[in-house]
Amino acid sequence: MTFTQEKTIAAKVRSDFPILNEKIHGKPLVYLDNAATSQKPIAVLHAIQHYYEHDNANVHRGVHTLSTRATDAYEGARDKIAAFINAASRQEIVYTRNASEAVNLVAYSWGLANLQAGDEIILTVMEHHSNLIPWQLIAQRTGAVLKFVELTETEEFDFEHFKSLLSDQTKLVAVVHISNTLGCINPVKEICAEAHRYGAGVLIDASQSVPHLPIDVQAIDCDWLVATGHKMCGPTGIGFLYGKLDLLRSMPPFLGGGEMIADVFLDHSTYADLPHKFEAGTPAIAEAIALGAAVDYLTNIGMDKIHAYEEELTAYLFQQLEQIPEVRTYGPKPKADGSGRAALVAFTAGGTHPHDLSTILDQAGVAIRAGHHCTQPLHRYLGAQSTARASLYFYNTREEIDVFIAALKEAIEFFGSLFG
């Protein structure tokens, strides 16, 4: 499929995203901060509105019509998510507030029950803070030891180093699928196979991959996978944990309260079956329903088509950046067709501070990220205090990349004239 053919994806969908018609400082919005959060299509906004206007009731707790309709929509969204990532059972999908809460659920439920002094947890130097800090806290409480996979010369996951860290003491490998800073796509299927040889469990942070790639948890064979709704066209405040059924059943509850119980007595309680054992209290009902609408939206486009189109955008983005000598990009270079990495790029531009770049680009209507992107240890490893980041999604266009590149060149020239 050529770029001209696949370009029609963005052309067809842009009208579904009202915010893309916004103007910033009088300029058309060019939104290139999709790794932080995605924009929401009308179908998702309507799903939230429809629930509150027509079906607003609590789930699972009533037999009246509104409660039944709300429950059907809420649980129907779970079915959609399960199918989207090819889970073996809908009971393997647990709603959480976000990916961070999903990681914490595994850390405090499975981690505290199974880790002890001397056990080893393997992470990477590229982990998002969400998949780092929970394991630091668990290691402090249990005496487990943290080990970190480093990078290759091309700033990718060093698989040979990973294999050298594995041992009979390895109990968990927790790794990001796509780095939100490096853009590298880690070999999660191979990581799972190696870890399982030592009897270790594997948790995959798929926050940056579920919105962009077809995901099959059974083919990957991960033990847990976490993702967040707001990066995949869904609302904020909703995410999910996938876990293998037997593994989830073996884990104690994470939070206690209503909804997660079977029977309650004054001195003890029994717990509901999966997935409700991990969903205490009134859930984010509208948000879950809207996440189901987002899954429908992405499925109707086709994740394979989204991925192919984003590869085309990636190739073009890097071609243009390579024409700017001051720019230093991080992570592996894409192949000629744009494959081999995600549609995002973290970069520096000489001595210009990323925050200054972001501020100037904002004046041109271009929204990019600046900072450490919740990967402070990685930035220290790379010797960079902070970076700027442009991240694309399927509604972005080559023309928007042109606007970004022109604004970036102007910003570099402006700061060069001030400090050069």
mmCIF file of all heavy atoms in Angstrom, residues 104 108 128-138:
data_model
loop_
_atom_site.group_PDB
_atom_site.id
_atom_site.type_symbol
_atom_site.label_atom_id
_atom_site.label_comp_id
_atom_site.label_asym_id
_atom_site.label_seq_id
_atom_site.Cartn_x
_atom_site.Cartn_y
_atom_site.Cartn_z
ATOM 1 N N ASN A 104 0.258 -1.253 39.360
ATOM 2 C CA ASN A 104 0.207 -1.314 40.820
ATOM 3 C C ASN A 104 -0.633 -2.482 41.315
ATOM 4 O O ASN A 104 -0.327 -3.094 42.339
ATOM 5 C CB ASN A 104 -0.331 0.004 41.378
ATOM 6 C CG ASN A 104 0.744 1.055 41.532
ATOM 7 O OD1 ASN A 104 1.436 1.117 42.548
ATOM 8 N ND2 ASN A 104 0.904 1.887 40.508
ATOM 9 N N TYR A 108 1.115 -5.009 43.899
ATOM 10 C CA TYR A 108 0.691 -5.180 45.287
ATOM 11 C C TYR A 108 -0.070 -6.478 45.517
ATOM 12 O O TYR A 108 -0.033 -7.027 46.626
ATOM 13 C CB TYR A 108 -0.151 -3.978 45.727
ATOM 14 C CG TYR A 108 0.717 -2.776 46.012
ATOM 15 C CD1 TYR A 108 1.000 -1.852 45.017
ATOM 16 C CD2 TYR A 108 1.294 -2.597 47.267
ATOM 17 C CE1 TYR A 108 1.822 -0.764 45.257
ATOM 18 C CE2 TYR A 108 2.120 -1.512 47.521
ATOM 19 C CZ TYR A 108 2.378 -0.603 46.520
ATOM 20 O OH TYR A 108 3.213 0.456 46.763
ATOM 21 N N HIS A 128 8.947 3.644 31.540
ATOM 22 C CA HIS A 128 8.142 4.764 32.033
ATOM 23 C C HIS A 128 8.064 4.654 33.551
ATOM 24 O O HIS A 128 8.089 3.562 34.106
ATOM 25 C CB HIS A 128 6.742 4.676 31.414
ATOM 26 C CG HIS A 128 5.873 5.869 31.640
ATOM 27 N ND1 HIS A 128 5.227 6.094 32.829
ATOM 28 C CD2 HIS A 128 5.526 6.896 30.813
ATOM 29 C CE1 HIS A 128 4.505 7.200 32.731
ATOM 30 N NE2 HIS A 128 4.677 7.713 31.530
ATOM 31 N N HIS A 129 7.988 5.772 34.233
ATOM 32 C CA HIS A 129 7.935 5.752 35.694
ATOM 33 C C HIS A 129 6.817 4.846 36.208
ATOM 34 O O HIS A 129 6.926 4.270 37.301
ATOM 35 C CB HIS A 129 7.728 7.164 36.238
ATOM 36 C CG HIS A 129 8.867 8.087 35.929
ATOM 37 N ND1 HIS A 129 8.776 9.452 36.084
ATOM 38 C CD2 HIS A 129 10.120 7.848 35.459
ATOM 39 C CE1 HIS A 129 9.921 10.014 35.732
ATOM 40 N NE2 HIS A 129 10.756 9.062 35.343
ATOM 41 N N SER A 130 5.741 4.714 35.424
ATOM 42 C CA SER A 130 4.609 3.879 35.851
ATOM 43 C C SER A 130 4.984 2.413 35.986
ATOM 44 O O SER A 130 4.352 1.682 36.751
ATOM 45 C CB SER A 130 3.450 4.020 34.865
ATOM 46 O OG SER A 130 2.916 5.321 34.887
ATOM 47 N N ASN A 131 5.986 1.982 35.232
ATOM 48 C CA ASN A 131 6.424 0.590 35.304
ATOM 49 C C ASN A 131 7.786 0.475 35.981
ATOM 50 O O ASN A 131 8.490 -0.507 35.809
ATOM 51 C CB ASN A 131 6.492 -0.027 33.907
ATOM 52 C CG ASN A 131 6.548 -1.548 33.946
ATOM 53 O OD1 ASN A 131 5.938 -2.184 34.807
ATOM 54 N ND2 ASN A 131 7.294 -2.142 33.018
ATOM 55 N N LEU A 132 8.111 1.473 36.775
ATOM 56 C CA LEU A 132 9.358 1.469 37.522
ATOM 57 C C LEU A 132 9.110 1.677 39.015
ATOM 58 O O LEU A 132 9.514 0.856 39.845
ATOM 59 C CB LEU A 132 10.301 2.556 36.988
ATOM 60 C CG LEU A 132 11.581 2.832 37.778
ATOM 61 C CD1 LEU A 132 12.460 1.578 37.842
ATOM 62 C CD2 LEU A 132 12.346 4.002 37.153
ATOM 63 N N ILE A 133 8.415 2.763 39.342
ATOM 64 C CA ILE A 133 8.229 3.111 40.758
ATOM 65 C C ILE A 133 7.471 2.035 41.532
ATOM 66 O O ILE A 133 7.852 1.705 42.668
ATOM 67 C CB ILE A 133 7.546 4.483 40.876
ATOM 68 C CG1 ILE A 133 8.476 5.564 40.299
ATOM 69 C CG2 ILE A 133 7.202 4.805 42.332
ATOM 70 C CD1 ILE A 133 7.856 6.925 40.158
ATOM 71 N N PRO A 134 6.399 1.429 40.992
ATOM 72 C CA PRO A 134 5.737 0.366 41.760
ATOM 73 C C PRO A 134 6.687 -0.767 42.140
ATOM 74 O O PRO A 134 6.610 -1.304 43.258
ATOM 75 C CB PRO A 134 4.636 -0.122 40.810
ATOM 76 C CG PRO A 134 4.335 1.053 39.946
ATOM 77 C CD PRO A 134 5.664 1.710 39.737
ATOM 78 N N TRP A 135 7.599 -1.117 41.235
ATOM 79 C CA TRP A 135 8.525 -2.217 41.525
ATOM 80 C C TRP A 135 9.614 -1.782 42.499
ATOM 81 O O TRP A 135 10.120 -2.594 43.276
ATOM 82 C CB TRP A 135 9.109 -2.764 40.229
ATOM 83 C CG TRP A 135 8.009 -3.223 39.316
ATOM 84 C CD1 TRP A 135 7.652 -2.711 38.106
ATOM 85 C CD2 TRP A 135 7.071 -4.278 39.586
ATOM 86 N NE1 TRP A 135 6.568 -3.369 37.594
ATOM 87 C CE2 TRP A 135 6.189 -4.335 38.482
ATOM 88 C CE3 TRP A 135 6.888 -5.168 40.640
ATOM 89 C CZ2 TRP A 135 5.139 -5.263 38.410
ATOM 90 C CZ3 TRP A 135 5.845 -6.092 40.578
ATOM 91 C CH2 TRP A 135 4.996 -6.121 39.472
ATOM 92 N N GLN A 136 9.984 -0.507 42.467
ATOM 93 C CA GLN A 136 10.892 0.005 43.498
ATOM 94 C C GLN A 136 10.256 -0.145 44.879
ATOM 95 O O GLN A 136 10.907 -0.590 45.834
ATOM 96 C CB GLN A 136 11.216 1.473 43.235
ATOM 97 C CG GLN A 136 12.072 1.729 42.011
ATOM 98 C CD GLN A 136 12.284 3.215 41.757
ATOM 99 O OE1 GLN A 136 11.563 4.047 42.293
ATOM 100 N NE2 GLN A 136 13.280 3.546 40.938
ATOM 101 N N LEU A 137 8.983 0.226 44.987
ATOM 102 C CA LEU A 137 8.286 0.148 46.274
ATOM 103 C C LEU A 137 8.162 -1.302 46.744
ATOM 104 O O LEU A 137 8.356 -1.605 47.938
ATOM 105 C CB LEU A 137 6.905 0.790 46.157
ATOM 106 C CG LEU A 137 6.895 2.303 45.888
ATOM 107 C CD1 LEU A 137 5.485 2.775 45.576
ATOM 108 C CD2 LEU A 137 7.462 3.063 47.084
ATOM 109 N N ILE A 138 7.842 -2.200 45.815
ATOM 110 C CA ILE A 138 7.706 -3.611 46.175
ATOM 111 C C ILE A 138 9.053 -4.192 46.575
ATOM 112 O O ILE A 138 9.157 -4.983 47.531
ATOM 113 C CB ILE A 138 7.085 -4.400 45.006
ATOM 114 C CG1 ILE A 138 5.642 -3.939 44.769
ATOM 115 C CG2 ILE A 138 7.124 -5.899 45.290
ATOM 116 C CD1 ILE A 138 4.721 -4.074 45.968
#
